[in-house]
Amino acid sequence: MSSCVRAWLPLLFLFSLPVCVKTRRERRNVLFIMADDLRTSLGCYGDSVVKSPNIDQLASKGQVFLNAFAQQAVCAPSRISMLTSRRPDTTRLYDFNSYWRVHSGNFTTLPQYFKSRGYVTMSVGKVFHPGIASNHTDDFPYSWSTPAFHPPSFRYEKEKMCKGKDGELHTNLLCAVNVTEQPGGTLPDLESTDEAVRLLKSRANEDAPFFLAVGFHKPHIPFRIPQEYLTLYPIENMTLPPDPYVPKGLPPVAYNPWMDVRRRDDVQKLNTSFPYGPIPKDFQLRIRQHYYAAVSYMDAQVGRLLSTLDELRLADSTMVVFTSDHGWSLGEHGEWAKYSNFDVTTRVPLIFSVPGVTTIRDWMGTPTFPFIDVFSQSELRFESKKVIRNVVELVDVFPTTSYLAGLRAPDPCPDISFQEELCSEGDNLAYTFRHRERGEDEEAVSFSQYPRPADTPQVNSDLPDLKDIKIMGYSLRSWDYRYTLWLGFNPQTFQVNVSDVHAGELYMTEDDPGQDKNIYSDTDLSVIHRKMAGLPHTVSLQTRMRLQLLYLTAGMKAGRRKA
């Protein structure tokens, strides 16, 4: 060892020791990024078509949960469920028309918890669903230190902004635009990114830790996006989904008739019959093209945020959480949009990048998140040593984020928790960052649900008001299966009738990853009925469905082991 190196070693030790102590004592800042209607169409989730280099770079510096599921595949219920860590049956929000604090319980939210622990909490864009569901204030002042920011240009999203072939403006689904021709020369996610960057700069030299939530509106419809992103996806390279038709064994109650898509001007011109009539294949390809382009556009905004952390020297003290409220069907099962219990609508990206845990300080000053321009450097090979394949849920985000930021995770909720302001119906996933995953965890499952007004598709099947809900579809996702029961539901009492089974679905995900072959009717249901009859009424629905799945699949698993 040279004398120069020996002289530097004590200095390096003294220099690094206080930093280590400081890191343990200080709480991490949090940059919480949420996309809208983003399925797992990302490079880091194995999608070979999409170009998402900035999110893939984040994933390479973080831990990726490959099988994270939302609790309900629609905006307001999912966001409230995640941000309170309570399931929809606890928030009692299945539509957009109530505020949980007065409708079900005064539950503490994720940003409210951070605020109560001394954090400056800030909201940009769509974090809570705006409107009644968040008391028309985005839950301010409970959750946020300052009023939430909404991009002014969002008001044009529902107006006629899409130029058609006739030269007139329409409310189209497909809406690639010249940004310079838009009001103010901008778009909502561009404005949200600008504001989030401004807020990061304002906190860079402050002592109080911050929790900044940034909610992007894309890839939510309409696909009003900068037109140049379409060039990333030539239409001749686009393909249809492998399962573009309604499965024969799909119960009618499970079908989502995608009314919000049908109402768009350009879709109406297709004269597609309700509810099962397929969209013409050439238009399907264009929808898929525009969705992917919207993902790349949103990815660029994420890249701008992450590179700002580097520029402000915040990357070493800021945890980044990236997720979505739910997924979106791109023609699978003959469906579009969300509003179902399939994986394509309930499965979401979930990525945590935690300084000192998933990333190590680079003493040479190499940027952690350099911005990647998708037009000049679209290819980024996802490289991560830590992916989690076992099933997790969005209700897990609250306790996990809290713990990893340096706060105590909320205690688990009791079975009935309407009077508990602070508790979690999810799990703290922090242990997964410390231990290598050792294969299948049979206890790891997720629960999703979706309401329906009738057994057959109606015009309000996608978004029934609470008073119209007659059936609730409860869905359990395990490593091997997706099991769904459509049960009678009373919207006045919020009670489900476990004996009133309208339909069932069972998919073996290893052999049928697209969930196209419903084998529920192939099982011996009489055995299930006999075994369930002896259970006390106090046994929860989740426990009942776990037991039912065990009974239904016991023979299948035994047969597979012999094979």
Side-chain angles (χ1 to χ4, degrees), residues 5 34 59-60 83 90 92 112 139 148 175 180 215 237 244 260 280 328 369 372 497 559:
V5 172
M34 194 187 315
S60 295
L83 292 169
T90 303
R92 292 179 170 175
Q112 180 184 1
D139 198 44
C175 193
T180 63
N237 294 344
D260 59 345
W328 212 78
F369 303 115
I372 303 174
N497 185 348

Side-chain angles (χ1 to χ4, degrees), residues 497-531:
N497 185 348
V498 296
S499 300
D500 183 18
V501 180
H502 289 240
E505 299 170 75
L506 180 61
Y507 304 98
M508 187 181 298
T509 56
E510 182 177 349
D511 300 332
D512 179 25
Q515 298 165 22
D516 299 304
K517 301 172 185 176
N518 182 10
I519 59 174
Y520 178 76
S521 60
D522 299 339
T523 58
D524 188 355
L525 299 176
S526 62
V527 175
I528 298 296
H529 295 319
R530 288 198 304 271
K531 290 182 177 293

Side-chain angles (χ1 to χ4, degrees), residues 451-499:
R452 294 284 191 238
D455 286 298
T456 55
Q458 313 289 321
V459 293
N460 66 335
S461 287
D462 294 341
L463 286 175
D465 291 336
L466 175 61
K467 62 180 177 57
D468 298 322
I469 298 172
K470 302 296 187 295
I471 305 164
M472 189 68 74
Y474 291 94
S475 193
L476 183 159
R477 178 63 156 87
S478 69
W479 180 290
D480 298 305
Y481 299 95
R482 178 169 286 285
Y483 173 47
T484 304
L485 287 179
W486 296 91
L487 304 173
F489 183 83
N490 186 325
Q492 283 77 42
T493 63
F494 300 95
Q495 295 299 309
V496 60
N497 185 348
V498 296
S499 300

Side-chain angles (χ1 to χ4, degrees), residues 233-510:
Y233 303 96
I235 194 67
E236 60 271 17
N237 294 344
M238 301 308 297
T239 60
L240 297 176
D243 52 351
Y245 304 107
V246 180
K248 292 182 179 179
L250 183 70
V253 69
Y255 184 74
N256 141 42
W258 38 277
M259 284 303 299
D260 59 345
V261 171
R262 293 178 188 274
R263 292 189 178 101
R264 299 287 165 174
D265 289 355
D266 49 354
V267 178
Q268 286 187 19
K269 292 178 181 178
L270 302 174
N271 294 317
T272 301
S273 61
F274 182 90
Y276 297 114
I279 289 177
K281 291 182 179 179
D282 60 338
F283 201 89
Q284 289 190 42
L285 293 174
R286 293 183 66 202
I287 296 176
R288 291 170 67 86
Q289 175 197 36
H290 280 70
Y291 184 90
Y292 278 105
V295 173
S296 292
Y297 162 55
M298 182 272 298
D299 175 83
Q301 310 319 306
V302 173
R304 289 177 59 198
L305 284 183
L306 297 178
S307 64
T308 300
L309 293 181
D310 278 332
E311 294 167 10
L312 300 174
R313 299 185 179 180
L314 290 171
D316 288 329
S317 58
T318 303
M319 175 171 69
V320 181
V321 183
F322 179 85
T323 190
S324 173
D325 51 359
H326 45 72
W328 212 78
S329 294
L330 280 173
E332 295 88 357
H333 315 110
E335 296 182 332
W336 302 89
K338 46 251 187 180
Y339 317 122
S340 82
N341 282 319
F342 284 117
D343 276 15
V344 285
T345 66
T346 56
R347 185 175 171 222
V348 295
L350 181 59
I351 302 167
F352 285 80
S353 177
V354 188
V357 178
T358 65
T359 61
I360 300 174
R361 181 189 291 260
D362 187 333
W363 296 103
M364 301 302 293
T366 305
T368 305
F369 303 115
F371 178 77
I372 303 174
D373 184 350
V374 70
F375 294 100
S376 61
Q377 187 186 348
S378 61
E379 300 299 326
L380 179 84
R381 182 182 177 187
F382 167 58
E383 296 180 358
S384 178
K385 297 179 180 178
K386 198 65 184 292
V387 296
I388 301 297
R389 292 177 173 80
N390 276 294
V391 173
V392 300
E393 306 177 272
L394 285 188
V395 286
D396 302 335
V397 168
F398 187 156
T400 306
T401 302
S402 302
Y403 186 89
L404 292 175
L407 306 181
R408 177 182 174 182
D411 292 333
C413 290
D415 290 340
I416 299 175
S417 62
F418 294 105
Q419 302 305 314
E420 299 288 335
E421 292 189 8
L422 178 62
C423 66
S424 170
E425 293 184 11
D427 294 327
N428 179 3
L429 304 176
Y431 70 94
T432 64
F433 291 78
R434 299 190 301 268
H435 304 288
R436 183 174 295 277
E437 190 174 53
R438 299 183 182 278
E440 177 183 356
D441 179 359
E442 293 186 354
E443 296 298 314
V445 298
S446 75
F447 289 95
S448 304
Q449 60 189 102
Y450 211 87
R452 294 284 191 238
D455 286 298
T456 55
Q458 313 289 321
V459 293
N460 66 335
S461 287
D462 294 341
L463 286 175
D465 291 336
L466 175 61
K467 62 180 177 57
D468 298 322
I469 298 172
K470 302 296 187 295
I471 305 164
M472 189 68 74
Y474 291 94
S475 193
L476 183 159
R477 178 63 156 87
S478 69
W479 180 290
D480 298 305
Y481 299 95
R482 178 169 286 285
Y483 173 47
T484 304
L485 287 179
W486 296 91
L487 304 173
F489 183 83
N490 186 325
Q492 283 77 42
T493 63
F494 300 95
Q495 295 299 309
V496 60
N497 185 348
V498 296
S499 300
D500 183 18
V501 180
H502 289 240
E505 299 170 75
L506 180 61
Y507 304 98
M508 187 181 298
T509 56
E510 182 177 349

Side-chain angles (χ1 to χ4, degrees), residues 99 128 130-132 134-142 144 146-148 150:
Y99 179 43
F128 285 99
I132 298 173
S134 57
N135 201 35
H136 297 283
T137 64
D138 294 82
D139 198 44
F140 175 80
Y142 292 100
W144 310 112
T146 58
H150 288 284

